[in-house]
């Protein structure tokens, strides 16, 4: 079923190097580089994600307040009542 | 001398799916939801089986049998709460899984995608008939509203509805057969899930880059076996938190009242996971039109592969389409909100605009954005 290891892709002249886990830190620069990276990823996506969510919030609040207002008495309608 | 797991016929199937399966090295958390759906299915089948040992599918005793389970059966309250909230988690995982499919262009694996749409329909049908079983007010009236929609079918509509009901209204015959369906469908889902995986394993999984990953695969075990196990732990913790601390958060208070055909609740609405479709149904003033729109809201997924226009597979490198994707998500949230609101101003117009936008995004805007991105990125 599907691909099997050894029969996936033709790769030639690719050399990979790696360090022993005992010769490196497990989570290098986790905070010093990680936090600026979170900020970078946020900036890259915020203008694509936030506008629809802002529109969602505004629609929600406007819709609910308009509905509530429609259930309230409008004093101007009764101004000329005796 | 090949290992037994690679030669024994049964073990070979498990091995090729869960151990030696070549998987892209870069699949992210969004790829966890497939296995999470499998976990949800197993959890629902197990909790459902234990509930079925004590539940009675008769209109005179159904409601009180659920109360009996909750109060008298050992840990019945927990089994019941896990099953009810497990259904919500099933749909959370389903929608995340579909979202991943849309975002990363996984729908181009057409076999898996089409079986997936069938699975979605089966899961929806299972949840619908399952919600009727406690025989509360919302169980009864939700069933009445939705089954009545079938009368919109030309010529045979009324006969069809009475055939489904087993009578002239939702009554005992309906409840007993819905219990039978609710018991049966999960096993059909399990079988279809295996077909879903069969198609998936022809090509292997997609990945966040949308590129061929043949040159960079890792074995499923241990990388994704352990990653999926972590996903299971997270899901179970969140499910247990909801089931133990706020078991009725996602439920309707009306379902604590036994079903009464003579008293119509003021606001009949389905569970949260159906609200977006309910909003689309109600946005069209005509009954048949609404039913067709309801069906189209799910079946539109079947045409998505044919509307793929961009040379790039997923949305990772397509900012315009990404914006549209999030517009779709926000729109579905709006539809969910509207589906739970009464059919009054301004909810009517919001629901109609959101329904138009839903179909526009799939049928017009996504293909257009893909075509534009081809031009802007110089891919043509």
């Amino acid at each position: 079923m599907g691909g099997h290891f050894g029969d996936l892709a033709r790769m030639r002249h690719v050399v990979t190097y790696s360090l022993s886990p005992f010769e490196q830190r497990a989570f290098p620069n986790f905070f010093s580089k990680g936090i600026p990276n979170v900020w970078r990823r946020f900036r890259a996506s915020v203008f694509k994600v936030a506008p629809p969510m802002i529109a969602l919030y505004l629609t929600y609040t406007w819709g609910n307040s308009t509905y509530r207002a429609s259930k309230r008495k409008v004093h101007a309608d009764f101004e000329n009542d005796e | 001398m090949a290992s037994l797991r690679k030669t024994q016929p049964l073990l070979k199937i498990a091995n090729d799916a869960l151990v030696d399966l070549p998987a892209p090295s870069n699949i992210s958390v969004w790829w966890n939801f497939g296995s999470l759906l499998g976990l949800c299915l197993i959890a629902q089948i197990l909790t459902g089986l234990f509930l079925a040992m004590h539940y009675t599918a008769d209109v005179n005793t159904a409601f009180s049998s659920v109360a009996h389970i909750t109060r008298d059966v050992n840990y019945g309250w927990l089994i019941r709460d896990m099953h009810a909230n497990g259904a919500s988690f099933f749909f959370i995982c389903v929608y995340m899984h579909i979202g991943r499919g849309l975002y990363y262009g996984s729908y181009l694996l057409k076999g898996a995608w089409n079986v997936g749409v069938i699975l979605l329909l089966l899961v929806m049908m299972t949840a619908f008939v399952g919600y009727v079983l406690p025989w509360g007010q919302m169980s009864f009236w939700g069933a009445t509203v939705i089954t009545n929609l079938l009368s919109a079918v030309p010529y045979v509509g009324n006969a069809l509805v009475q055939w489904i009901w087993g009578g002239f209204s939702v009554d005992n015959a309906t409840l007993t057969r819905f219990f039978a369906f609710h018991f049966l469908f999960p096993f059909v889902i399990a079988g279809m899930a295996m077909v879903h995986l069969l198609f998936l394993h022809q090509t292997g999984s997609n990945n966040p880059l949308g590129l061929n990953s043949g040159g960079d695969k890792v074995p499923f075990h241990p990388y994704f076996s352990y990653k999926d196990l972590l996903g299971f732990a997270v899901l179970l913790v969140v499910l247990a938190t909801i089931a133990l601390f706020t078991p009725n958060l996602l439920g309707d208070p009306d379902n604590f009242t036994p079903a009464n055909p003579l008293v119509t609740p003021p606001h009949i609405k389905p569970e949260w996971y159906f609200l977006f479709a309910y909003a689309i149904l109600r946005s069209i003033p005509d009954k048949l039109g609404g039913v067709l729109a309801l069906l189209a809201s799910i079946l539109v997924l079947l045409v998505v592969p044919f509307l793929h226009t961009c040379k790039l597979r997923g949305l990772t490198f397509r900012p315009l389409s990404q914006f549209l994707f999030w517009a779709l998500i926000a729109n579905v949230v709006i539809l969910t909100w509207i589906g739970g609101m009464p059919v009054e101003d301004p909810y009517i117009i919001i629901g109609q605009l959101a329904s138009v936008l839903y179909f526009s995004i799939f049928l017009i805007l996504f293909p257009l954005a893909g075509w534009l991105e081809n031009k802007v990125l110089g891919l043509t």
Side-chain angles (χ1 to χ4, degrees), chain A residues 1-5 8-9 11 44 47-49 51-53 55-56 59-60 62-64 66-67 70-71, chain B residues 20-22 198 201-202 214-215 217-219 319 322-323 326-327 330 333-334 337 342 344-347 350:
Chain A
M1 210 161 50
H4 294 96
F5 281 108
L8 290 170
M11 283 176 71
F47 294 117
K48 292 173 267 190
V49 181
M53 299 305 149
L56 160 67
T59 308
Y60 178 79
W62 173 81
N64 283 336
T66 306
Y67 180 71
S70 75
K71 299 294 175 193
Chain B
D20 287 337
L21 175 76
L198 178 80
H201 291 170
Q202 296 301 304
K217 298 271 207 224
V218 294
Q322 281 183 27
F323 173 80
W326 292 108
V333 175
I334 287 178
W337 160 55
E344 295 178 42
D345 287 319
Y347 301 130
I350 295 174

Side-chain angles (χ1 to χ4, degrees), chain B residues 25-358:
Chain B
S25 65
N26 59 333
I27 48 177
S28 63
V29 67
W30 301 104
W31 271 255
N32 274 55
F33 289 102
S35 61
L36 285 174
L37 283 165
L39 177 70
C40 282
L41 182 65
I42 292 169
Q44 291 301 92
I45 287 175
L46 283 174
T47 52
L49 183 64
F50 280 94
L51 289 173
M53 295 177 189
H54 304 277
Y55 172 78
T56 53
D58 183 278
V59 295
N60 298 306
T61 54
F63 187 88
S64 49
S65 74
V66 174
H68 158 70
I69 289 168
T70 306
R71 291 166 183 274
D72 306 324
V73 172
N74 293 324
Y75 296 102
W77 57 272
L78 182 60
I79 300 170
R80 194 273 173 106
D81 283 341
M82 293 287 278
H83 194 79
N85 289 294
S88 283
F89 276 80
F90 209 125
F91 279 93
I92 292 172
C93 292
V94 163
Y95 294 145
M96 297 286 195
H97 190 66
I98 296 172
R100 183 282 314 270
L102 287 171
Y103 191 95
Y104 291 107
S106 305
Y107 48 75
L108 293 180
L109 299 174
K110 291 202 183 61
W113 181 258
N114 292 335
V115 174
V117 175
I118 294 171
L119 278 167
L120 173 64
L121 290 166
L122 281 169
V123 169
M124 287 178 144
M125 278 157 50
T126 307
F128 171 69
V129 296
Y131 192 63
V132 180
L133 304 184
W135 208 242
Q137 274 287 65
M138 211 47 79
S139 303
F140 176 86
W141 287 99
T144 302
V145 166
I146 299 302
T147 50
N148 262 305
L149 294 175
L150 290 169
S151 67
V153 174
Y155 303 110
V156 299
N158 285 320
L160 186 63
V161 175
Q162 287 174 17
W163 181 60
I164 300 286
W165 282 340
F168 300 112
S169 70
V170 172
D171 206 337
N172 201 59
T174 324
L175 180 59
T176 50
R177 63 192 55 191
F178 276 15
F179 180 51
F181 292 150
H182 192 63
F183 203 111
L184 172 69
F185 284 170
F187 299 103
V188 179
I189 290 169
M192 288 304 285
M194 288 188 241
V195 175
H196 189 60
L197 287 174
L198 178 80
F199 279 106
L200 175 68
H201 291 170
Q202 296 301 304
T203 53
S205 292
N206 186 19
N207 69 88
L209 295 173
L211 302 167
N212 185 304
S213 58
D216 187 16
K217 298 271 207 224
V218 294
F220 188 87
H221 178 71
Y223 295 100
F224 298 109
S225 51
Y226 277 105
K227 188 172 185 181
D228 281 353
L229 209 57
L230 175 63
F232 292 176
V234 170
L235 181 85
L236 288 170
V237 163
V238 179
L239 173 58
T241 305
I242 301 287
L244 293 170
F245 288 106
T246 55
N248 301 310
L249 178 71
L250 301 167
D252 193 312
D254 264 325
N255 237 25
F256 278 90
T257 307
N260 186 347
L262 302 176
V263 175
T264 311
H267 300 297
I268 301 171
K269 55 180 190 164
E271 288 285 89
W272 69 268
Y273 37 81
F274 288 144
L275 288 174
F276 81 97
Y278 198 53
I280 292 174
L281 167 78
R282 298 191 307 184
S283 67
I284 300 186
D286 177 68
K287 193 176 197 176
L288 180 60
V291 172
L292 290 174
L294 174 69
L295 283 170
S297 69
I298 305 299
L299 297 179
V300 72
L301 292 173
L302 289 172
V303 304
V304 166
F306 300 103
L307 299 171
H308 184 88
T309 48
C310 191
K311 292 272 165 69
L312 299 173
R313 180 173 190 169
L315 306 190
T316 312
F317 306 109
R318 296 166 54 188
L320 181 58
S321 296
Q322 281 183 27
F323 173 80
L324 279 179
F325 176 85
W326 292 108
L328 176 67
I329 301 302
N331 194 49
V332 171
V333 175
I334 287 178
L335 283 168
T336 302
W337 160 55
I338 292 296
M341 291 291 116
V343 185
E344 295 178 42
D345 287 319
Y347 301 130
I348 297 174
I349 189 66
I350 295 174
Q352 288 170 334
L353 289 171
S355 301
V356 169
L357 185 61
Y358 178 87

